[in-house]
């Protein structure tokens, strides 16, 4: 999964908010065609929090069918461990290869509880688990060693961007334990994460502009720092500034950008909101700029 951008597909909805399976299939097929390192359906960008169990089953099943065994499919699960285990069972039946354990619901918890959460989930699924630390979940080096001893816990995705803590975790981990950069708009910090031994990262940009995401990844891999800097300066940094205007834009801007490119993804579900007309105009200008940098068009 470190050999290509990690794709986090959007979940397609109709204008009335119902699931759009045909739109989702078309979107995932387009994502898969660009050759990502893995596909992560029903995660944060895919609005996992808004899906019921029947919808979740459809989302994961479609991703598995479209991936066709060409790349791993890692489905999101979450909430408390009992509900997470229900989603894990559904994902397992749908043919997912692994699971991304999103932060648990609402409450803060001590380290023993964070470890126990993963132990309970792991005991209820055969699938490999990747823990996701962000929000109220943050592992210590000791806890990292403990979760790494759980037989089917294979990795950690980090969304805190605390590189001091992350370096301690990577040094404490056993050989072969996977780490992923899960920062919002992860490209901004991709070089910093790689410097502490975490080159793999998720890309929300890949969901609407795989040309930009893949060009940036290739520039990093090839040591083309001038190209990477220009993409950061002229596209990614302005995107982050636009994203930070309104809570929830980390997802709703991505969906809006996909719609600007005629992708059949539909609106976001509440409590997220679609961008304002002014922000949408700014997004269109920025997207055209970013695509122009890599020789593509809106």
């Amino acid at each position: 999964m470190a050999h290509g951008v990690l794709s986090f597909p959007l979940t397609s909805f109709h204008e009335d908010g119902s699931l759009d399976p045909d739109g989702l299939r078309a979107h995932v097929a387009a994502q898969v065609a660009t050759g990502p390192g893995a596909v992560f359906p029903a995660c944060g960008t895919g609005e996992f929090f808004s899906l019921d169990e029947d919808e979740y089953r459809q989302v994961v099943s479609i991703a598995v069918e479209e991936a066709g065994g060409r790349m791993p499919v890692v489905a999101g699960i979450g909430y408390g461990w009992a509900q997470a285990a229900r989603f894990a069972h559904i994902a397992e039946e749908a043919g997912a290869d692994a699971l991304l354990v999103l932060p648990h619901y609402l409450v803060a918890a001590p380290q023993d509880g964070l470890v126990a959460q993963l132990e309970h989930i792991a005991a209820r699924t055969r699938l490999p688990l990747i823990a996701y630390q962000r929000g109220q979940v943050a592992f210590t080096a000791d806890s990292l060693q403990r979760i790494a001893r759980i037989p089917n816990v294979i990795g950690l995705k980090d969304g805190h961007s605390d590189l001091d803590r992350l370096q301690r975790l990577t040094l404490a981990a056993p050989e072969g334990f996977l780490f992923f950069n899960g920062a919002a708009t992860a490209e901004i910090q991709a070089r910093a994460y790689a410097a502490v031994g975490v080159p793999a990262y998720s890309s929300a940009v890949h969901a609407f502009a795989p040309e930009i995401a893949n060009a940036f990844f290739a520039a990093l891999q090839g040591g083309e720092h001038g190209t990477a800097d220009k993409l950061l300066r002229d596209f990614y940094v302005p995107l982050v500034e636009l994203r930070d205007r309104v809570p929830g834009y980390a997802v709703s801007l991505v969906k809006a950008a996909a719609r600007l490119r005629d992708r059949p993804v539909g609106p976001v579900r509440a409590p997220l909101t679609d961008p304002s007309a002014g922000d949408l105009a700014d997004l269109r200008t920025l997207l055209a700029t970013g695509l122009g940098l890599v020789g593509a068009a809106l």
Side-chain angles (χ1 to χ4, degrees), residues 17 23 37 43 81 90 103 155 172 179 191 196 211-212 215:
C43 294
W81 63 259
I90 294 169
F179 285 91
R191 283 188 291 206
V196 296
E211 305 98 322
I212 299 173

Side-chain angles (χ1 to χ4, degrees), residues 10 22 30 44 85 96-97 113 134 205 214 258:
L10 300 156
D22 292 337
D97 299 295
R134 71 179 301 162
V205 169
N214 288 334

Side-chain angles (χ1 to χ4, degrees), residues 8-290:
F8 283 68
L10 300 156
T11 298
S12 299
F13 299 122
H14 294 293
E15 289 301 318
D16 65 0
S18 60
L19 186 69
D20 177 7
D22 292 337
L24 174 63
R25 186 176 297 279
H27 172 59
V28 174
Q31 290 280 287
V32 167
T34 67
V39 176
F40 287 69
C43 294
T45 306
E47 298 178 77
F48 166 78
F49 67 88
S50 77
L51 301 175
D52 66 29
E53 292 183 9
D54 289 338
E55 292 170 332
Y56 177 84
R57 183 184 301 275
Q58 292 184 70
V59 169
V60 178
S61 296
I62 287 170
V64 169
E65 290 164 9
E66 294 304 320
R70 288 170 286 176
M71 59 205 62
V73 174
V74 185
I77 61 172
Y79 305 116
W81 63 259
Q83 187 63 49
R86 288 176 63 89
F87 281 107
H89 179 68
I90 294 169
E92 192 170 324
E93 288 187 332
D97 299 295
L99 303 168
L100 178 65
V101 183
L102 303 171
H104 63 268
Y105 175 68
L106 189 60
V107 297
Q111 293 294 306
D112 285 349
L114 298 180
V115 174
Q117 166 89 342
L118 287 173
E119 289 174 336
H120 280 297
I121 297 170
R124 290 163 174 81
T125 181
R126 295 182 293 106
L127 294 180
L129 303 177
I130 299 169
Y132 190 3
Q133 64 167 18
R134 71 179 301 162
Q136 69 269 39
V137 176
F139 293 99
T140 63
D142 176 69
S143 294
L144 187 283
Q145 291 178 328
R146 292 169 64 189
I147 67 171
R149 289 195 291 269
I150 301 171
N152 49 338
V153 174
I154 63 168
L156 177 75
K157 183 182 179 186
D158 174 72
H160 285 295
S161 303
D162 181 342
L163 297 181
D164 179 288
R165 175 189 288 268
L166 185 59
Q167 183 70 90
R168 295 168 191 265
L169 297 182
T170 61
L171 293 173
E175 184 177 356
F177 195 78
L178 304 176
F179 285 91
F180 303 91
N181 168 5
T185 316
E187 286 91 342
I188 290 285
Q189 300 183 65
R191 283 188 291 206
Y193 270 81
V196 296
V198 184
Y201 62 87
S202 58
S203 175
V205 169
H206 189 274
F208 63 87
E211 305 98 322
I212 299 173
N214 288 334
F216 182 81
F217 183 85
L220 283 188
Q221 294 292 100
E224 299 172 12
H225 299 298
T227 299
D229 285 345
K230 185 157 186 63
L231 286 167
L232 288 169
R233 184 182 302 110
D234 295 345
F235 175 74
Y236 282 101
V237 169
L239 179 64
V240 168
E241 291 171 351
L242 181 56
R243 181 201 72 199
D244 290 346
R245 290 181 187 177
V246 177
Y249 266 18
V251 175
S252 55
L253 274 183
V254 174
K255 264 201 163 173
R259 291 195 301 273
L260 287 173
R261 306 198 73 197
D262 295 323
R263 306 297 194 258
V265 297
V268 292
R269 275 181 171 174
L272 300 180
T273 58
D274 288 312
S276 67
D279 290 342
L280 189 61
D282 290 342
L283 178 62
R284 179 187 291 274
T285 299
L286 179 58
L287 180 55
T289 297

